[in-house]
Amino acid sequence: MTTHAPELPIVVDDDTGVWTTDALPMLYVPRHFFVNNHMGIEAEIGAERYADILYKAGYKSAYYWCEKEAEEHGLVGREIFDHYMKRLSQRGWGFFITEELDIEKGQARVRLENSCFVYQYGKVNRKVDYMFTGWFAGALDQVAQSMGLSVKTRAIQTQSGAEEGCDFGLFEVTPI
């Protein structure tokens, strides 16, 4: 295994202890802590209900993140989406690879390798990466809106690395 230092710019405020990357405050927590909380909520309310809640929250958060990062870095169009995938990959969620992106049509396909959820859950023969699903629609909708396009999208996860016979996750974004 080879390693490297984080590729994210991280600034820590001396007075408050707040970590910031680019234009937004961040939290740094152990993966097991985050995923165990995720699993605990899922056990209480069910994966389907939790996925619905996370989709809405994730959509809103991705839209906001893309908007703020575009302003911070002067990004436009596809640059915003690509920057989002890069930063997600750099923050330890997994590796996010854009296999297809057509902003005008409101379509995207994102491949997820080395998912933090699959590492924790293992092969449980179901989709466990559903937290990410709303992120892709939120990001694509923000990019489209910033370009003056009226397309609105919806994302679904079509496979997970936690499923038998699958080595990676796959998400499809389509227009509503």
Side-chain angles (χ1 to χ4, degrees):
M1 176 174 71
T2 61
T3 63
H4 65 275
E7 298 171 352
L8 296 167
I10 299 170
V11 177
V12 181
D13 184 294
D14 289 336
D15 295 329
T16 64
V18 172
W19 289 39
T20 302
T21 294
D22 298 325
L24 297 169
M26 306 295 284
L27 298 174
Y28 182 60
V29 299
R31 181 177 67 201
H32 74 274
F33 170 81
F34 183 87
V35 178
N36 284 340
N37 278 281
H38 175 90
M39 294 169 96
I41 295 167
E42 182 183 79
E44 288 296 317
I45 67 173
E48 188 173 317
R49 175 77 180 117
Y50 193 37
D52 184 51
I53 292 166
L54 289 174
Y55 187 96
K56 293 170 190 165
Y59 177 99
K60 181 179 178 179
S61 296
Y63 192 101
Y64 179 80
W65 190 97
C66 288
E67 187 174 54
K68 294 302 177 191
E69 287 294 292
E71 291 172 11
E72 175 75 8
H73 299 290
L75 303 172
V76 295
R78 183 184 179 116
E79 294 173 331
I80 302 167
F81 196 87
D82 290 343
H83 180 65
Y84 187 50
M85 295 300 110
K86 179 181 175 181
R87 285 295 194 245
L88 290 176
S89 297
Q90 291 173 325
R91 293 197 326 247
W93 295 108
F95 292 139
F96 295 84
I97 300 124
T98 305
E99 292 189 342
E100 175 190 331
L101 179 62
D102 188 325
I103 299 164
E104 290 182 0
K105 289 183 180 177
Q107 295 177 331
R109 182 173 50 248
V110 177
R111 178 182 175 125
L112 171 59
E113 297 178 354
N114 302 303
S115 165
C116 65
F117 291 103
V118 173
Y119 279 138
Q120 198 77 14
Y121 279 85
K123 286 285 189 189
V124 293
N125 210 26
R126 68 181 179 93
K127 294 169 185 65
V128 299
D129 320 284
Y130 53 83
M131 181 176 151
F132 304 129
T133 310
W135 299 10
F136 307 121
L140 186 51
D141 284 2
Q142 191 284 324
V143 172
Q145 186 275 326
S146 75
M147 296 171 61
L149 302 171
S150 60
V151 66
K152 297 287 185 196
T153 65
R154 179 81 180 153
I156 60 167
Q157 184 175 16
T158 58
Q159 73 178 46
S160 171
E163 294 176 297
E164 293 300 324
C166 298
D167 294 326
F168 56 88
L170 200 58
F171 300 82
E172 300 280 344
V173 185
T174 55
I176 296 174

